Amino acid sequence: MPLCRMENVTKTYHLGNQAVEALRGVSLEIEQGEFVAIIGASGSGKTTLMNIIGCLDVPTSGHYTLAGREVSNLTDDDLSLIRNEHIGFVFQSFYLIHYATVFENVLLPTLYAHRGTDEATKRASGLLELVGLKERAKFKPNQLSGGEQQRVAIARALINDPELVLADEPTGQLDSKTATEIMKILAGMNDEGKTVAIITHDASIASYARRTIRMEDGLIV
Amino acid sequence: MKRLAGIIKQAMKAVTAYKVRSFFCLISVALGISSIAIIVAATEGAYKRAFDMVGRFGPDSLLVVGGSEESRAIGRQRKTIKLAYVEAVRQAFPTAYVVVPMTFVGDTVVSYKNKKHQTRVIGSTADYSRAWTWPVIQGSDLVEEDIKGLRNVGLIGQELSRELFGEMDPVGKYILVRRIPVQVVGVLAERGITGAGHKLDNRIVLPITTVMRKLVNETQYITAFRVRFLDQANLKAHEKELRLFLRQEMGAPDDEPDPFRIISPTAIIKFLVALSGSLIAFIGIAGIICLIVAGFVLANLFLLSVKERTKEIGIRRAIGARRRDILVQFLGESVIVTTLGGMVGFVLAIFGSRLLTYIAEFPMHFSWKAFAMGMGLSWIVGITAGMQPASRAAQTEPIEAIRE
Ligand SMILES: Nc1ncnc2c1ncn2[C@@H]1O[C@H](COP(=O)(O)OP(=O)(O)OP(=O)(O)O)[C@@H](O)[C@H]1O
Ligand SMILES: [Mg+2]
């Protein structure tokens, strides 16, 4: 069974009385353990697709099943729980909580978790070590470089041990050397069995993935 | 539970992080709460003072003063009570265990050697101390022989004692009341002021016979008399009966007001509460307006904050926060700020009330009630004013919030 399975998914946004068809019938399967890159022109629907994969948004029509569960019947609370337990997000602008320390940022998802979090602080230290920021645990995000902030965001994405890691242009604000470091970390996670999907405009970044999905005008081509 | 504790901790971090917002909300709430706390303290203070005074006046006592309300107001003669009524009342009211006549003479100069002081002279029967439950702390009380013999002896209050004798022991010394030499036989304990603001400690108590014959040359009329009843529970009924009895004795026509006044413990309480009431109402209205303004300030600043923190809300939603968790966090921030505001307000109130007591001799009494009221109101403000911004935050769609 594929981890993600989309069938003829559409997504239409309404801006006033104008409808924008961001996805126009997308079918897609992502297997457990894959490393997928989503590429395409600006406005082609990549972020929309990723938001649906990550249960941040629901399709207008069509079916989406995540780990065998049909998402369209779930409540907002169910979706929150799925995001918390099964999905890790990494964003282009890092999105750390600026008034919390690095360590607290990494721990943040455990706050909303249902399952036991006794091991959480230990795991957080381990993850900070993994991304090479152990000494920065007490820092505030604005005391870190962009690359360091993105590594904190990755640690945060991994704290609840999700099956699926979604990264929307994770290297978009970083120089190529830092981008390479970030990609190595993401590739390492894939090696350990996590399913990873990234959006990128950069062919060299896309080359880390084993499969490339190209989007054009709301469709996979 | 652990989740709630964690979210509240986040709220506390945000409160300290957004200092300007927190500061303004806190101050505006503090001002409102402090005025409210002052009111509660003032109300309690007024009641406490009233009950203290009633305690000293005697909860089982009535004081009948000559002269109608009107004649008193225009300062006309107050001679309506005859000494003979005292005996008549004693006969008519079997439960009246004390019925004592009194004559007051105001603004009388008393001197000792070269020291002079203006005071009030009270003519009383024996056992003044017992009639008023007012201890004699030095020397002894007036006795029956003093009254019968028209003796020139007296008890003095603390203020008069201080003014004339300083640190000296006044007992046994002779002083001049107008031109009459009087020997001080006792000193009364400190007593404070009455509800109407009379200083009780500036007085000299002489045998009523001495005052009537030697000082004011009067044989028939007295200023007032005091009655204490064994059955305190029936005081209200006794007051009515006494009123009718005296009207009859004096032969007052039905359509005329009482030619005397009866002062009772309830009258004292009413008078004091009315006195404090206007100030309390004023501060109360000010406090409520302050709190409403504080609520609006908070709601608006929090709404701004929610807009400014859309990304934070989005990211929290993305990593698994439910709408409810967001609501709790923002509501928590609001309640934390108003709680702090309430505490600061309470401290302000304590200082503010010191000032009020100092400039207006206003009685204040801070108890847990003022604190509880302040806390309760600050929570109400925190929840009502914080609810709209918090639910706005909770309604934020994650994809809208995190769009770059
Ligand atoms: N919340 C929204 N409301 C209205 N229109 C939207 C919304 N989100 C996306 N769109 C529109 O849907 C289309 C697809 O947007 P999407 O963000 O998925 O593109 P993208 O491929 O991620 O582009 P980029 O590379 O610039 O990030 C665009 O035309 C965009 O304007
Ligand atoms: Mg995008």
Side-chain angles (χ1 to χ4, degrees):
Chain A
M1 187 180 62
L3 181 62
C4 306
R5 181 191 167 87
M6 277 192 187
E7 242 175 277
N8 219 9
V9 162
T10 71
K11 182 75 201 182
T12 309
Y13 291 111
H14 295 280
L15 286 174
N17 48 15
Q18 197 189 342
V20 181
E21 286 189 300
L23 295 180
R24 300 191 296 143
V26 171
S27 297
L28 167 74
E29 283 184 5
I30 298 173
E31 298 293 335
Q32 193 88 44
E34 268 198 275
F35 191 164
V36 184
I38 303 168
I39 59 169
S42 186
S44 59
K46 305 182 294 295
T47 297
T48 306
L49 177 66
M50 184 168 276
N51 285 344
I52 291 174
I53 294 173
C55 297
L56 273 171
D57 206 353
V58 288
T60 306
S61 73
H63 293 286
Y64 173 47
T65 49
L66 177 68
R69 283 173 87 184
E70 175 65 50
V71 164
S72 49
N73 310 330
L74 298 178
T75 65
D76 198 75
D77 282 3
D78 294 333
L79 294 177
S80 298
L81 187 59
I82 289 178
R83 292 197 294 272
N84 182 255
E85 291 185 339
H86 302 287
I87 296 161
F89 289 98
V90 178
F91 300 98
Q92 183 175 353
S93 347
F94 328 131
Y95 288 158
L96 301 175
I97 307 285
H98 68 85
Y99 56 80
T101 63
V102 162
F103 196 73
E104 289 161 352
N105 266 287
V106 174
L107 273 177
L108 208 56
T110 64
L111 172 62
Y112 303 113
H114 276 203
R115 59 188 167 204
T117 51
D118 299 338
E119 298 278 275
T121 52
K122 231 199 254 164
R123 280 181 52 79
S125 312
L127 284 166
L128 277 178
E129 190 158 16
L130 177 83
V131 298
L133 289 175
K134 210 170 174 214
E135 294 75 37
R136 302 280 200 275
K138 291 256 152 51
F139 283 44
K140 290 281 170 71
N142 62 8
Q143 295 169 307
L144 302 181
S145 72
E148 288 169 332
Q149 289 189 48
Q150 196 60 300
R151 283 188 271 161
V152 176
I154 291 173
R156 178 180 67 188
L158 296 176
I159 186 76
N160 277 346
D161 199 18
E163 287 89 336
L164 180 58
V165 176
L166 301 175
D168 193 344
E169 300 187 42
T171 60
Q173 291 191 9
L174 305 175
D175 61 61
S176 60
K177 186 168 157 284
T178 319
T180 308
E181 284 166 19
I182 295 295
M183 287 317 294
K184 276 188 182 145
I185 297 173
L186 289 173
M189 281 153 41
N190 178 246
D191 289 341
E192 282 170 21
K194 297 216 182 295
T195 311
V196 179
I198 60 163
I199 293 174
T200 184
H201 285 289
D202 184 333
S204 68
I205 297 293
S207 67
Y208 281 88
R210 309 231 184 86
R211 173 153 74 114
T212 302
I213 296 169
R214 178 180 291 279
M215 294 214 51
E216 221 168 80
D217 211 10
L219 290 170
I220 291 176
V221 294
Chain B
M1 230 32 235
K2 224 177 91 196
R3 186 191 190 105
L4 184 65
I7 290 171
I8 295 302
K9 225 164 128 192
Q10 295 286 312
M12 273 166 12
K13 287 208 175 84
V15 165
T16 43
Y18 294 92
K19 290 194 175 63
V20 178
R21 178 194 72 168
S22 300
F23 177 77
F24 281 110
C25 294
L26 192 150
I27 289 304
S28 53
V29 171
L31 289 178
I33 294 296
S34 68
S35 355
I36 302 280
I38 283 176
I39 293 161
V40 178
T43 315
E44 280 199 90
Y47 274 98
K48 198 167 151 0
R49 182 194 264 187
F51 285 111
D52 283 355
M53 278 179 184
V54 167
R56 279 177 298 175
F57 177 81
D60 60 353
S61 311
L62 296 176
L63 180 69
V64 183
V65 185
S68 65
E69 207 83 56
E70 289 74 22
S71 73
R72 197 176 128 87
I74 57 174
R76 279 239 296 277
Q77 64 113 349
R78 296 150 69 174
K79 290 182 176 173
T80 56
I81 302 179
K82 289 182 183 160
L83 188 53
Y85 299 159
V86 173
E87 196 45 45
V89 169
R90 202 175 277 144
Q91 300 287 334
F93 292 84
T95 58
Y97 71 99
V98 171
V99 187
V100 285
M102 271 176 290
T103 287
F104 303 153
V105 184
D107 299 341
T108 305
V109 175
V110 179
S111 58
Y112 174 70
K113 292 187 175 160
N114 57 354
K115 291 208 182 99
K116 281 187 181 145
H117 196 64
Q118 208 170 53
T119 194
R120 185 171 217 219
V121 178
I122 317 284
S124 160
T125 50
D127 299 330
Y128 183 79
S129 172
R130 186 173 73 98
W132 288 93
T133 348
W134 190 347
V136 171
I137 52 167
Q138 282 166 277
S140 55
D141 203 347
L142 300 179
V143 295
E144 209 52 61
E145 286 72 40
D146 296 333
I147 315 299
K148 287 209 180 97
L150 278 72
R151 284 185 185 155
N152 293 0
V153 290
L155 307 171
I156 59 174
Q158 285 290 319
E159 182 179 328
L160 188 59
S161 168
R162 264 197 305 275
E163 291 294 333
L164 296 184
F165 298 100
E167 294 299 298
M168 266 192 290
D169 180 3
V171 177
K173 304 267 178 1
Y174 282 88
I175 58 180
L176 283 179
V177 179
R178 285 197 191 145
R179 300 254 178 66
I180 308 161
V182 170
Q183 186 181 26
V184 178
V185 292
V187 181
L188 294 162
E190 184 99 36
R191 189 83 154 178
I193 55 170
T194 66
H198 290 299
K199 288 183 192 160
L200 289 166
D201 293 312
N202 184 17
R203 64 175 52 202
I204 176 162
V205 183
L206 306 176
I208 187 164
T209 45
T210 311
V211 173
M212 286 174 77
R213 302 281 166 73
K214 297 183 180 171
L215 207 64
V216 292
N217 195 19
E218 169 67 67
T219 51
Q220 234 189 347
Y221 289 98
I222 55 171
T223 321
F225 69 93
R226 176 174 165 83
V227 191
R228 301 187 83 161
F229 291 95
L230 288 171
D231 48 343
Q232 190 185 323
N234 300 329
L235 196 63
K236 267 216 137 67
H238 287 319
E239 188 182 339
K240 258 188 210 143
E241 290 157 15
L242 185 61
R243 189 175 152 252
L244 291 176
F245 181 82
L246 285 174
R247 284 186 70 95
Q248 210 163 36
E249 288 283 312
M250 293 176 187
D254 280 351
D255 54 346
E256 260 182 36
D258 296 340
F260 56 87
R261 290 177 310 124
I262 300 181
I263 297 169
S264 64
T266 39
I268 292 178
I269 291 181
K270 268 192 203 140
F271 177 75
L272 272 173
V273 169
L275 198 71
S276 329
S278 50
L279 184 55
I280 290 173
F282 171 75
I283 307 174
I285 290 167
I288 286 168
I289 291 172
C290 268
L291 273 189
I292 292 173
V293 171
F296 277 103
V297 168
L298 186 133
N300 281 298
L301 289 180
F302 268 70
L303 217 50
L304 268 178
S305 185
V306 166
K307 283 193 188 129
E308 182 190 316
R309 290 163 66 187
T310 309
K311 292 246 146 67
E312 176 192 332
I313 298 164
I315 187 63
R316 285 183 187 275
R317 295 280 283 129
I319 61 175
R322 300 167 301 181
R323 290 192 193 285
R324 178 163 8 136
D325 298 327
I326 301 294
L327 185 88
V328 168
Q329 183 187 330
F330 278 85
L331 211 51
E333 289 180 21
S334 158
V335 172
I336 289 166
V337 168
T338 58
T339 304
L340 293 175
M343 289 176 181
V344 171
F346 192 73
V347 174
L348 282 181
I350 290 174
F351 284 108
S353 67
R354 289 255 169 85
L355 199 69
L356 264 182
T357 314
Y358 182 72
I359 59 177
E361 289 201 11
F362 209 73
M364 290 281 175
H365 181 70
F366 276 94
S367 70
W368 61 269
K369 276 187 200 154
F371 187 73
M373 183 92 171
M375 284 296 110
L377 278 174
S378 63
W379 289 334
I380 290 174
V381 172
I383 291 171
T384 52
M387 189 47 99
Q388 209 244 338
S391 60
R392 174 78 67 91
Q395 290 315 312
T396 305
E397 293 295 338
I399 53 154
E400 298 293 333
I402 56 174
R403 265 172 85 192
E404 325 222 14

